[in-house]
Each structure stands twice: as structure tokens, then as C-alpha cells.
Amino acid sequence: MTFATTINVVLILLCVSVLVQSARMSRRLRTLRDTQLAEGVAQIERATGQARVVLGDLKRVLATDGAAQQTAIAAAEEIRDELTLMVGIGNAVADRIMDAAAQTPKAEEKAPKKRAVRKPRTTKPKAAPKSTDAETVVAGILEAEKKAAPARTRSRRKVAVPAATNDIARGDNGVVNIAAARASRESAVA
């Protein structure tokens, strides 16, 4: 056999094997098209219908609950701002009380202690109570605190105070510990 004849025989064998594989593949594709393709399309159609139903429900829920949640959030922000203002006022009043308490023992040491004599109560009707100086001062402080923006704090127990304002029970981080300040005030009074 010559070289050309050998190549022709090999090509004939390869062409026959391609014909056999093509016939097998054609049969499999026909079977796939008849059974699985129809089932696959039906499954995709069902999944698409279910997704449409779920998206419709989701739109309806978001339309109703979204507005309710927005209203609740707005009310909560309003309350948060009001509470922040109250905490700021309370912190400022507490600082002033602590300053006054720190200065009180010094004033008591200078002045001799006198005991006040109690007078018996009379049953005369009293006129409208006059506001005392302390009430006027507290009212002025509260008015000033309402106008000024309060500093936000994260805790009720620790209050951020500038260094020149108060040196009582100051920690390493410059925060006043109210419990320690009260304890030092009580020990100073006793």
C-alpha cells in the first residue's frame, strides 16, 4: 500500500465514525426536544408566575407599611430631640449644683453656724407665693438652656464638662463621674 491509499483509508474510517456520532446525537436531541424542553419551559413559566405574585404582594406591603414606618420614625426622631434637650438641661443643672455644693463647705467654714428658731405656724391665709431668688435663677438657667443647643452625651452617669468648669472627681479622659462627685460632696458636708 502506498502512502496515499493509507491516508484515504484513515479518512474513510473517520468519516464513518462522524456519521455514527451524528446519528446518535440527532436521536438524543430529538428526545430532549420532545420531553425535557417542554417540561423546562413549563417550570420556567410557573416560576415566573410565582415571582410576579410575590412582587405584587411585596409592592402592596411596601406601599402600606412604608408610610407607617416613616410616621413612626418621624415621631421617634422628635422624641429623641426632646429627650436630648432634657438631658442637656439636666446635665447643666447638675453641673451647677455640683459647683454650688463644692463651694458650700468653704462658705460654711467662714461663717459660724447658727441654729434658727422655729416659729409656730399660724393659720392665716397666705397671699400668693412670691418667687424666690433661687426660683428666678433656676428659671433663668432653664430658659438659657432651652435657647442653647445641648451637648449630646451617651450616658447619664458621666457628663462631659470643660476643664475650667468643674474639677470634682474628674477621670483621666476629662469626664466627670457624677457618683464620685456626689460621694465627695457628701463627705465634705459630713
Side-chain angles (χ1 to χ4, degrees):
M1 269 199 348
T2 66
F3 181 70
T5 310
T6 308
I7 291 178
N8 285 337
V9 170
V10 170
L11 283 175
I12 291 171
L13 290 175
L14 287 175
C15 287
V16 169
S17 65
V18 166
L19 285 173
V20 170
Q21 283 296 82
S22 297
R24 288 177 61 197
M25 189 177 294
S26 176
R27 224 177 319 142
R28 286 185 182 174
L29 284 174
R30 194 174 316 122
T31 306
L32 176 70
R33 191 176 353 163
D34 292 341
T35 59
Q36 293 178 356
L37 190 60
E39 289 175 16
V41 168
Q43 287 176 353
I44 290 173
E45 196 64 37
R46 274 183 268 145
T48 304
Q50 289 174 349
R52 285 184 182 152
V53 169
V54 168
L55 286 175
D57 290 343
L58 185 61
K59 278 183 183 179
R60 187 172 18 88
V61 167
L62 288 176
T64 57
D65 289 351
Q69 291 295 329
Q70 185 64 27
T71 305
I73 289 171
E77 287 175 349
E78 215 173 279
I79 291 171
R80 180 199 62 198
D81 292 341
E82 190 173 324
L83 287 174
T84 301
L85 178 67
M86 292 171 139
V87 167
I89 291 169
N91 287 341
V93 170
D95 289 342
R96 287 183 177 83
I97 290 172
M98 287 174 38
D99 288 341
Q103 294 172 359
T104 301
K106 295 176 184 175
E108 288 178 357
E109 291 173 2
K110 293 178 183 177
K113 293 184 179 179
K114 293 183 181 179
R115 192 163 207 198
V117 179
R118 287 182 79 182
K119 294 182 181 179
R121 287 189 164 189
T122 59
T123 56
K124 291 190 260 179
K126 292 185 177 181
K130 297 178 182 177
S131 63
T132 63
D133 290 338
E135 290 173 347
T136 307
V137 169
V138 170
I141 291 170
L142 291 177
E143 286 291 327
E145 290 298 325
K146 284 181 183 177
K147 291 178 184 176
R152 291 187 178 207
T153 58
R154 293 198 180 265
S155 172
R156 296 174 118 180
R157 291 287 175 186
K158 293 184 179 179
V159 180
V161 179
T165 305
N166 192 352
D167 292 329
I168 300 173
R170 188 172 306 283
D172 293 335
N173 58 358
V175 176
V176 173
N177 186 339
I178 293 176
R182 285 183 185 155
S184 67
R185 181 189 59 176
E186 290 173 5
S187 67
V189 171

